Structure formats: C-alpha cells, structure tokens
Amino acid sequence: MMQERDLQELAELVSDGAPILSLYLNVDPQRRSTEEHKLSLRRLLAQAADQGAAPADITRVERFFDHEYNRQGQGVACFSAQATDFWRGYTLLMPVEDFVFVGLRPYIKPLSDLWDDYDRFGVIMVDREGARVFIYHLGALEDSAGTLGSEVKRHKQGGWASQKLQRYEDQEAKHNLKDAAAWADDYLRKHKVTSVVLSGTEGNLAQFRELLPRSLQDNVVGQINLDMSASPAEVWEHAFQIAREAQRQAESELLEQVVTLAHKGGAGAIGLADILVALPAGRVHHLLVDTAFHAPGHQCANCQAVVVEDLAACPYCGGKLVATADAVNLAVHQAIDAGLKVSALDRSPLLTQVGGIAAVLRY
C-alpha cells in the first residue's frame, strides 16, 4: 500500500528537463470491465504522446500493466521518467478518475485528494470487559489492537446477595472501561489518530465517554453499535461514512471561517494568485482545494516560484518562466513539501465562488 513517504517523495521530485509522465487509471471492477480499462489505458497513453511524453515512458507504463500489475485494487497511479531511471507504480484500494499529465513535476493532486478523502481514523469498540481499536487509512486496515480486563457477568436472580454481587460486577466493569479509555488514548496518540468513531451499546458508551481524556473526547465524531466480534471489513463499512461526513462538515465550516477572515483582511487567503504568493513565504498553515480546480500558470526554472500572471520573467529572482498546464498541482506540491495539511473539497459552491482554492494563514 502507498505510504506517506511515497507521496512526500513525489512532492519533492523535480525534473531537470526530461518530462515526467503521470497516469491515473480507474480499474474498479464495479465500474468497468478489464477490457474497458485497457481501452481507457490506450486512450490515456495516446493523450500522453500528444502532450510530449517520451516513448520510453509510454513503453514503461505498458510494461507495468502487461507484466507487473496484479489486478488488485480499484485504482492505479504511475509515474515515469526513464531518462533519469525514475519509475513508481502504485495500486490503490480506492478508485481514481482517469487522468494523464506530462510535466517537469509529477501530477500528485489526485493522490492528495485521496489522502484527504480517506484520511486516517480510528474505531474504538467497547464492552464491559475491554476494548478493540482499529485504525484505517486510505481504505485499508493500518493497525489494530485490544485490551481485556476482568470478566464481568450480569446477574438476573433477585435477593440481597445477588444485588451486592451485581454492584461488584458493575464496579469491575467501570474499572475495565477506565483502563480501556486510558489504553485507547495512549494507543491512538501514538498512531496520530485525530478522528474517532465509537462502537458499543448506549449504556457502555455513555460511561466510556465520561472516562475519556478531554483530548480524546474532542476527537470523537460519532458512534455505532456493532458486535465485538465484527470483522475489520464490517467495522469499516459502518464507520467510514460517519468519519467522512464529520470531516466534510469540519472542512466546510473551516472554509466559511477562512473566507470571512480573507474578506476582513485577516489570516485567510482566497484565490490562486494570493495563495501562490503566501506559500513560498511560509505563511500558509492549511490549504483547501476544490477537487475539480485546474488552472494554467508559469513556474520559474531557477527558484521554482509559481505565478498565474503572464510575465516576462520571475518576479522574485528574474529567472526564466516555464509554462505549466496546472499551477494548482504545483501549489499542492509546495504544500505537501512543506508538511502542510491539504483538504480536498468536492463541489463546494462557496469554494468555487472564491476561486477554487483557499488557505488558513499563519499570520
């Protein structure tokens, strides 16, 4: 599975002159047959040739699909610059839209979008005896663990002795939940999980929430009720939409705040031109990009600055400006290279209204 270091490597890659071929292919068996995705591949490679891709790069992609691709996953991303012996081919568990791009830097915006859409989240499954935790990233189970306390029984018979025993069992259950809460908090912090879905009965979860540290309580985005023996696939199926909707809501609210700040001259920026100025200055904290937003521009061959204006020379160093078909991709490169959070918003009317891109500024 593709890792964060792979995306970082692509974000940092710059060609000295040889073009880099970036190709994305949807191979979701629910959407198209093998023959259909082969036809789509041929169409994409023809477009790559028209864009100036090197024949060696086209041949390398063909060899990958003919002899190396394992027919798994729902999407494929390939990056080739055979002039410098560079090749990366990734099978993705999530679908991507067909796309091809030839330029001096890999086209990573679709990967950045996937990283946001299928960002890391955790599920804590709780009962009176312990907890199980699943961590998912990019549609796959990334890690899992569990903790088990003392056995707890429910006593149905009446009488004073039974009531006393039941109080003891309830105390044991609370102790188990308290230990599970502390363990889950430590486990999720170590794995840098900031979005959590809880699973369990209403009674158990109500008690468990009270025992959670405030930092973990703030990261809980919803709850479900599954059997403790549920498979990782079943847990994903029920929890993912809750986590995703919570993320979309948070990003929508953040965008509204950014637009308000930008209009008031505060720590917010809207529009590609302003953001391309703020990025190299180190002022951007969080980038928000429309998944469908593309715009041409120019990049300096010397200092790598990106501008959308048609200028005679780089406004920063006077270097030569080279045309690029998508300056938005280069903005995403700069953001990921700087370790910034990049959020992909799909069909946001407000983001479209302010130019397809916005940013939270540091100052």
Side-chain angles (χ1 to χ4, degrees), residues 93-322:
L93 294 179
M94 298 295 107
V96 291
E97 295 302 318
D98 292 349
F99 191 80
V100 67
F101 186 86
V102 179
L104 296 180
R105 305 198 73 172
Y107 194 85
I108 62 171
K109 187 171 179 292
L111 291 178
S112 175
D113 294 347
L114 278 184
W115 236 260
D116 184 59
D117 288 342
Y118 298 93
D119 202 2
R120 183 178 288 106
F121 75 96
V123 180
I124 309 176
M125 305 184 69
V126 179
D127 66 10
R128 287 164 60 87
E129 295 182 359
R132 298 172 70 196
V133 173
F134 297 101
I135 297 175
Y136 299 93
H137 189 219
L138 296 181
L141 178 66
E142 188 175 69
D143 204 359
S144 64
T147 181
L148 189 64
S150 303
E151 182 180 3
V152 178
K153 298 179 180 179
R154 174 64 65 179
H155 296 273
K156 297 182 179 179
Q157 296 180 348
W160 177 84
S162 178
Q163 293 176 6
K164 182 178 179 181
L165 186 58
Q166 187 59 59
R167 284 196 297 271
Y168 170 79
E169 297 289 357
D170 289 343
Q171 291 174 355
E172 283 295 299
K174 184 174 182 179
H175 180 75
N176 290 342
L177 288 171
K178 184 177 180 180
D179 287 349
W183 168 82
D185 179 53
D186 181 66
Y187 181 79
L188 292 171
R189 277 191 291 106
K190 287 180 178 177
H191 287 80
K192 300 179 180 178
V193 175
T194 58
S195 179
V196 178
V197 177
L198 302 181
S199 174
T201 65
E202 288 286 346
N204 286 341
L205 291 185
Q207 194 170 19
F208 185 70
R209 280 177 180 266
E210 293 178 357
L211 298 169
L212 290 174
R214 173 58 61 182
S215 58
L216 184 50
Q217 287 186 29
D218 292 342
N219 289 339
V220 174
V221 298
Q223 67 184 58
I224 52 179
N225 186 8
L226 297 177
D227 190 273
M228 288 291 286
S229 62
S231 68
E234 185 179 358
V235 175
W236 158 268
E237 181 180 350
H238 287 81
F240 171 65
Q241 288 302 328
I242 292 176
R244 191 173 190 181
E245 285 304 316
Q247 179 183 347
R248 286 176 171 173
Q249 181 62 32
E251 290 173 342
S252 177
E253 293 172 358
L254 177 61
L255 175 61
E256 291 179 1
Q257 295 172 16
V258 169
V259 172
T260 299
L261 286 169
H263 286 153
K264 292 182 177 180
I270 54 177
L272 186 56
D274 286 350
I275 287 167
L276 288 175
V277 172
L279 273 168
R283 296 181 58 207
V284 174
H285 173 68
H286 186 158
L287 195 65
L288 301 100
V289 187
D290 190 314
T291 56
F293 180 44
H294 306 278
H298 296 81
Q299 184 171 32
C300 178
N302 180 45
C303 71
Q304 305 301 314
V306 184
V307 296
V308 292
E309 299 87 358
D310 190 10
L311 305 175
C314 175
Y316 301 100
C317 71
K320 179 183 177 182
L321 291 175
V322 180

Side-chain angles (χ1 to χ4, degrees), residues 320-333:
K320 179 183 177 182
L321 291 175
V322 180
T324 177
D326 199 342
V328 182
N329 177 57
L330 297 179
V332 172
H333 266 276

